[in-house]
Amino acid sequence: ETGVTQTPRHLVMGMTNKKSLKCEQHLGHNAMYWYKQSAKKPLELMFVYNFKEQTENNSVPSRFSPECPNSSHLFLHLHTLQPEDSALYLCASSQDASGVRGTDTQYFGPGTRLTVL
Amino acid sequence: AQTVTQSQPEMSVQEAETVTLSCTYDTSESDYYLFWYKQPPSRQMILVIRQEAYKQQNATENRFSVNFQKAAKSFSLKISDSQLGDAAMYFCACRANSKLTFGKGITLSVRP
């Protein structure tokens, strides 16, 4: 369970705050992902980075801003969030995001439980 | 676009018994992968089992096995000899065209 780590594990913020979520993977992978998990809904893919390049933005509002300085680290910068953004935010990594056979399995971090007041 | 459907929101099984979790999917891709993930309460989501669509043989991992019916687009998970630690939310997922799509999940409880 230590292959992908996320900090903080819990975060409470007001709508005017600015905060950042951090994800780090120790698996030597090249692809990293942000997902949003809300109650009673499937996991929603937010962003994909492959070899540090953003390859997918799944129509995510601009109040969420990802950053991937290297293949091991991924950040999600948050500002001016809404209460409906409260959810569990999961980070994942895989060997490659390009769909090459055998590189597809994603490994998840423990998530950050975000509450927006 | 692909879809993954888990129609049962909850299931319960007696310890040491066998339970099957159902999942159906739809994709227009011919090359895809199917997964079952387990998410225990307040704990990390972990991969349970993985199946390549081009392989006819059903994947097996210890007490976990799948029944992959490609023509029916069905991918069920069988848990044998259920243990208390198997209690969790289970997600079925399909990866096609570089995109991983999850079902809504099913909550499995294990009765001692």
Side-chain angles (χ1 to χ4, degrees):
Chain A
E1 293 189 354
T2 59
V4 182
T5 58
Q6 289 186 243
T7 55
R9 295 293 303 274
H10 300 272
L11 178 63
V12 179
M13 58 187 290
M15 290 190 286
T16 58
N17 292 157
K18 288 185 179 181
K19 296 287 184 183
S20 295
L21 310 184
K22 179 183 176 182
C23 175
E24 184 173 359
Q25 59 95 2
H26 312 274
L27 301 170
H29 289 164
N30 297 298
M32 297 187 78
Y33 310 77
W34 279 118
Y35 287 89
K36 176 182 179 182
Q37 186 178 23
S38 305
K40 309 297 183 184
K41 292 176 69 175
L43 268 73
E44 301 171 59
L45 178 66
M46 300 175 71
F47 302 102
V48 180
Y49 279 82
N50 202 32
F51 294 90
K52 299 189 297 179
E53 298 295 321
Q54 187 179 134
T55 57
E56 187 157 350
N57 176 339
N58 206 23
S59 303
V60 181
S62 59
R63 57 186 183 270
F64 295 91
S65 175
E67 179 189 1
C68 188
N70 55 62
S71 292
S72 298
H73 294 86
L74 183 66
F75 295 89
L76 187 62
H77 304 299
L78 316 171
H79 64 96
T80 325
L81 294 192
Q82 305 298 311
E84 60 264 29
D85 296 322
S86 299
L88 182 68
Y89 288 84
L90 294 171
C91 174
S93 72
S94 69
Q95 188 175 338
D96 191 317
S98 63
V100 172
R101 184 169 288 179
T103 67
D104 51 283
T105 302
Q106 293 184 22
Y107 297 87
F108 286 81
T112 295
R113 174 69 64 185
L114 174 67
T115 302
V116 182
L117 302 176
Chain B
Q2 62 224 35
T3 60
V4 177
T5 303
Q6 294 179 257
S7 55
Q8 304 158 301
E10 297 178 349
M11 284 195 76
S12 179
V13 62
Q14 188 74 38
E15 193 176 6
E17 297 294 311
T18 295
V19 64
T20 298
L21 311 182
S22 60
C23 171
T24 58
Y25 64 93
D26 192 16
T27 178
S28 56
E29 301 292 327
S30 58
D31 192 15
Y32 56 92
Y33 304 84
L34 299 164
F35 305 85
W36 277 98
Y37 281 91
K38 170 186 177 182
Q39 189 177 38
S42 302
R43 292 188 64 188
Q44 201 153 337
M45 187 175 307
I46 58 173
L47 178 69
V48 174
I49 200 164
R50 174 180 178 273
Q51 173 84 42
E52 293 95 336
Y54 62 89
K55 288 187 177 179
Q56 292 187 336
Q57 186 173 6
N58 288 327
T60 299
E61 287 287 341
N62 300 314
R63 296 183 295 108
F64 299 88
S65 61
V66 299
N67 183 5
F68 175 43
Q69 301 290 327
K70 191 171 184 177
K73 294 186 176 178
S74 170
F75 183 62
S76 59
L77 175 69
K78 186 171 84 171
I79 306 174
S80 304
D81 186 25
S82 297
Q83 301 175 0
L84 295 178
D86 294 333
M89 194 145 187
Y90 287 81
F91 293 92
C92 177
C94 173
R95 177 175 170 87
N97 200 21
S98 305
K99 186 170 182 180
L100 184 64
T101 302
F102 286 84
K104 288 186 176 181
I106 178 171
T107 300
L108 177 68
S109 58
V110 181
R111 304 185 302 275

